[in-house]
Amino acid sequence: MSSPTNISGLSTGIQWGDLVDTTVKALEARQVKPITDRLTKRAAQKAAWTKMQDLVDKLNTNARNLRRTGFGGYVATVPTSPTTSRTLLAATASLTATPGRYRVEVLQLADTAKIGGASVTDTTAARGLTGSMSINGTSIDIVGTESLDDIRTKINDANIGVTATILSEGGTAGRLVLTSKTAGAAGVTIVDGTGGMARELGFIDTRTKLVSSASLTAAAALGLVPSPPEASIRVGSTVITVNLATDSMASIAARINAAGAAASVESEAYGSETRYRLVVDGNVSAVDGDAGSQGVIDALGFAAGTTGSVKQTVQTPVYTDGADAVASASTLLVGLKFGGSASNLAAGDAINLRGLRGDGTAVTIGLVVGANDTMQTLLDKMNDATTGFGSGSRTATAALGADGRIRLTDDSAGASRLTMSMSVTHVDGTSGSLGSASTSVIGRSRELQVGQDAVIRVDGREVTRSTNNITDAIAGVTLALSTAEPGTALDVTIDRDVKGTVDSVQKLVDSYNEIRKFFDEQRAVDAPLYADSLLRGVVGTFQDALRTDVSSNATYNKVTLAGLTLDRNGILTFSQDTFKTALAEQPTEIEALFGFSGVGQAFVSAADSATQFGIGTISSQLKNINENTILLKKREADAQKRVELKREQLVAQFTRMEEAMSRLTAQSSSLLSSMKGLQSNN
């Protein structure tokens, strides 16, 4: 609208500004305001149609929910275990479920596989390893400059279905752990490659061929004629010498252990026989420069083994006799030395053995030294099946190595709490020692967690899946397993969700009534869509939808029979009791009544016809209003420009008149002044 005009009327005494403003306002009232009023009306109509569109969209959504198969849904009920009160599983029923009762027993949960490597003292230091290994079928190449941290990152970057992490073991020490990203018996597959990288990292062990005896010379046990010459082999970072003509599997294992590595002889059933093989923790490789090294390795059949477990070993200092010769089983305890120092053991002194078995149970053994007692006497005491480490549910075995150390090895592989200490009480009451024992090999399970499938039994049929969320054991039902409890069968009940069904119908009723309420509001004379035939037509299509007749239904072919009726004001009422009765009597007919051949589809079709972009009734109206608004705004702007132009013309015209009057007034004043001068002269 125009702003007030200020034109001085000093010469004429006329308020030109008021005259201009009055004239401009009159022009605006005739030329601009009618257009502005139409714009205001259009804005109100647009807001009304937009609201109607939102209401129709809501009705459409609720109608689509009703026309689905199993439109009200199903509810699954699972009791807790009657034995332990634990929750064994949960069940979720989809719209495709079938009501019924199913007996389910959770036999085993699916779990992810987890494999751990060997510990290193510094995970950030270069490992000096060059070679490869395959994880889940993908080759991982390792170079000498890479640390354990670098190898972890390389495995994760390969995206091969495992997550590699470093398990800290204090300070800079740690070990590499591989965890499968998915549960199931497939687990993590590791295959050794060049350089034995899987063995170097401790994921798998190294194993020899099976032999008939662990005590015969290896050449005899392997049937080697002739035997390869003596040679050196590398076990991890340790080098030992092996002579197959004189060494047995047991003595080779003892030599490896004495060198600080870990090895054991394991027995296996071979038909009706028992055979043996040497198992080494780590890689076994040839020694550069030793021509016979690879020959010995090949003869023993050293190769990549399995993800077996490692037995924990505790070892003592080196024991020698009084002449500093390495102790053997026959060495007397009296005069025994350890680490080069005299133990001052004498007849009558007491040796006190304390420790823990692998399971943490305590062992307390006492031995009063006799004049003829030997190292074998001490070993027998330690291995005693009644009071020693040979007793209990988790035993350990002590043996004297060729290097003069007693090694106490847990008979069970895996994580262990095995410890041992030996102290001396002399006859005179003073204390002594036989040296400190330390853990030389840490017991560990390479397979930290076994990958396994979930196993359930449904109505007597066993189902195995790699996940604990089983979607195909019962049609339309997802079973989420949480606890295995073999022997406990639970009844999983699938029922129609009556409340959900009623709620779905109620939402349709409510959304219809919202449209009806809006329509009634627009019947007011001052409403934006008063007497709008298009609005009346849209609402009429929804009324027609309510009258849909499903002729294939013998009992419930109209919604009025299922509890939906229009009152005299056009409001849709819903008798939930009538509906529940109908649903209980004829669930299939009720589903059809609201389904693709019934009211649900009729509402969807009517709603789509009203809102379809560009061609729907509501969409077209909004489009027309937007286009008309653009034209009206242009006309309004043009009219306003004409009014402003008229203002400028009036201002210019009245300004010229005021200036002319000002000049005439000045001339008149000058004439009067001249005439008065003439009169005074006369």
Side-chain angles (χ1 to χ4, degrees), residues 235-500:
V235 181
S237 59
T238 300
V239 176
I240 65 167
T241 301
V242 177
N243 189 331
L244 299 183
T246 58
D247 290 332
S248 66
M249 289 293 194
S251 64
I252 295 173
R255 189 170 298 126
I256 292 173
N257 289 329
S264 62
V265 176
E266 296 185 0
S267 60
E268 295 181 21
Y270 188 80
S272 60
E273 302 175 5
T274 299
R275 296 200 175 181
Y276 307 87
R277 73 166 83 238
L278 181 61
V279 179
V280 178
D281 181 22
N283 191 23
V284 176
S285 58
V287 175
D288 293 339
D290 189 329
S293 182
Q294 190 61 51
V296 169
I297 291 174
D298 293 341
L300 288 169
F302 275 119
T306 67
T307 55
S309 299
V310 180
K311 296 178 179 179
Q312 182 150 311
T313 299
V314 178
Q315 68 179 20
T316 66
V318 174
Y319 293 118
T320 56
D321 61 15
D324 292 329
V326 174
S328 65
S330 60
T331 298
L332 292 173
L333 294 177
V334 174
L336 189 70
K337 291 183 178 180
F338 65 91
S341 301
S343 65
N344 299 317
L345 268 179
D349 289 348
I351 299 176
N352 308 302
L353 290 90
R354 303 288 186 271
L356 298 175
R357 298 182 183 85
D359 59 7
T361 56
V363 176
T364 301
I365 310 170
L367 171 65
V368 177
V369 178
N372 297 317
D373 285 343
T374 63
M375 291 293 285
Q376 187 61 52
T377 306
L378 179 59
L379 292 174
D380 291 343
K381 198 70 174 178
M382 295 175 69
N383 292 325
D384 187 89
T386 303
T387 60
F389 285 96
S391 64
S393 60
R394 184 163 178 176
T395 60
T397 301
L400 182 62
D403 58 349
R405 297 177 187 269
I406 294 177
R407 289 183 174 83
L408 180 64
T409 303
D410 196 331
D411 292 332
S412 299
S416 175
R417 298 173 63 185
L418 183 68
T419 60
M420 178 186 68
S421 66
M422 290 190 290
S423 63
V424 176
T425 302
H426 296 292
V427 174
D428 61 5
T430 59
S431 298
S433 172
L434 289 178
S436 299
S438 61
T439 301
S440 58
V441 178
I442 298 175
R444 66 184 179 92
S445 296
R446 293 185 179 88
E447 198 167 29
L448 304 177
Q449 192 166 284
V450 178
Q452 63 182 24
D453 292 332
V455 182
I456 62 174
R457 188 175 288 124
V458 180
D459 289 342
R461 178 176 64 94
E462 199 163 284
V463 178
T464 301
R465 297 291 182 270
S466 62
T467 174
N468 289 318
N469 289 315
I470 300 177
T471 60
D472 56 355
I474 302 173
V477 178
T478 297
L479 302 177
L481 313 183
S482 55
T483 305
E485 194 172 290
T488 300
L490 303 178
D491 285 334
V492 177
T493 304
I494 308 299
D495 289 320
R496 187 175 291 276
D497 186 1
V498 176
K499 182 181 182 304

Side-chain angles (χ1 to χ4, degrees), residues 13 22 67 77 79 99 104 113 139 172 222 268 302 317 374 404 406 431 466 545 568 622 630 633 640 646-647 665:
T22 300
R67 72 173 183 175
T77 304
V104 180
S139 180
T172 59
L222 290 166
E268 295 181 21
F302 275 119
T374 63
I406 294 177
S431 298
S466 62
R568 61 188 182 85
L622 288 172
I630 293 172
K633 284 185 176 180
Q640 191 65 52
K646 186 63 175 178
R647 175 191 292 277
T665 301

